[in-house]
């Protein structure tokens, strides 16, 4: 079932990407992530959580985007379980914990800074050894989109609540 979900979403994402290239403007956060090719699991999760339209909205948003490898590092069965309709609330909470309202570029960050997420809890910035968000490393920063910015992270950031 998970494989069908990914394949169906990948096909839909391809159509979305084709539509994005039809216009002259820059791509939004979702289209930018889909075009990168390393956020298939995140895209499927956003679709399952009904958050695609939100992140295609005006924003601006800052998204700390886990890669496919970050999702794969979760305990076996976690992603499949989160994608089930009965776990939608938990999935929404996890995904919105990766989103901060406003456009926060890496140059805006300061050590110890707290940023309130769309989910409601805070993320904490640690600049002592590179850039970390709640101990998760930012591997690529400042990927600009028409409605915000994406910072790639190497793990899924889980809210405490």
């Amino acid at each position: 079932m998970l494989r069908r979900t990914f394949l169906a979403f990948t096909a839909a994402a391809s159509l979305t990407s084709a539509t994005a290239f039809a216009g002259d403007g820059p791509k939004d956060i979702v289209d930018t992530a889909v075009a990168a090719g390393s956020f298939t699991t995140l895209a499927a999760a956003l679709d399952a959580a009904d958050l695609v339209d939100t992140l295609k909205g005006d924003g601006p948003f800052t998204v700390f985007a886990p890669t496919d490898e970050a999702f794969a590092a979760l305990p076996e069965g976690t992603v499949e379980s989160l994608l089930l309709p009965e776990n939608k609330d938990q999935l929404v909470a996890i995904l919105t914990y990766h989103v901060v309202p406003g456009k926060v570029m890496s140059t805006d960050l300061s050590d110890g800074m707290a940023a309130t997420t769309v989910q409601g809890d805070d993320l904490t910035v640690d600049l002592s050894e590179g850039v970390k968000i709640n101990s998760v490393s930012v591997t690529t920063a400042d990927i600009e989109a028409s409605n915000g910015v994406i910072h790639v992270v190497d793990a899924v950031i889980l809210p405490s609540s």
Side-chain angles (χ1 to χ4, degrees), residues 27-104:
K27 293 179 268 184
D28 59 51
I29 286 173
V30 174
D31 291 338
T32 300
V34 167
S38 56
F39 302 101
T40 306
T41 308
L42 176 61
L46 290 171
D47 187 48
D50 292 326
L51 292 173
V52 171
D53 288 340
T54 301
L55 289 178
K56 289 177 88 46
D58 291 338
F61 305 105
T62 298
V63 176
F64 296 96
T67 61
D68 291 337
E69 292 80 20
F71 279 101
L74 291 171
E76 188 173 334
T78 300
V79 173
E80 294 85 352
S81 176
L82 287 171
L83 292 175
L84 295 173
E86 59 267 24
N87 296 325
K88 182 179 176 180
D89 290 344
Q90 184 181 12
L91 179 62
V92 168
I94 291 169
L95 294 174
T96 57
Y97 189 59
H98 288 78
V99 180
V100 173
K103 185 176 181 180
V104 182

Side-chain angles (χ1 to χ4, degrees), residues 102-127:
K103 185 176 181 180
V104 182
M105 302 299 287
S106 62
T107 54
D108 299 325
L109 301 176
S110 59
D111 197 38
M113 173 183 179
T116 303
T117 67
V118 172
Q119 180 261 0
D121 289 344
D122 287 347
L123 295 172
T124 303
V125 177
D126 177 357
L127 301 179

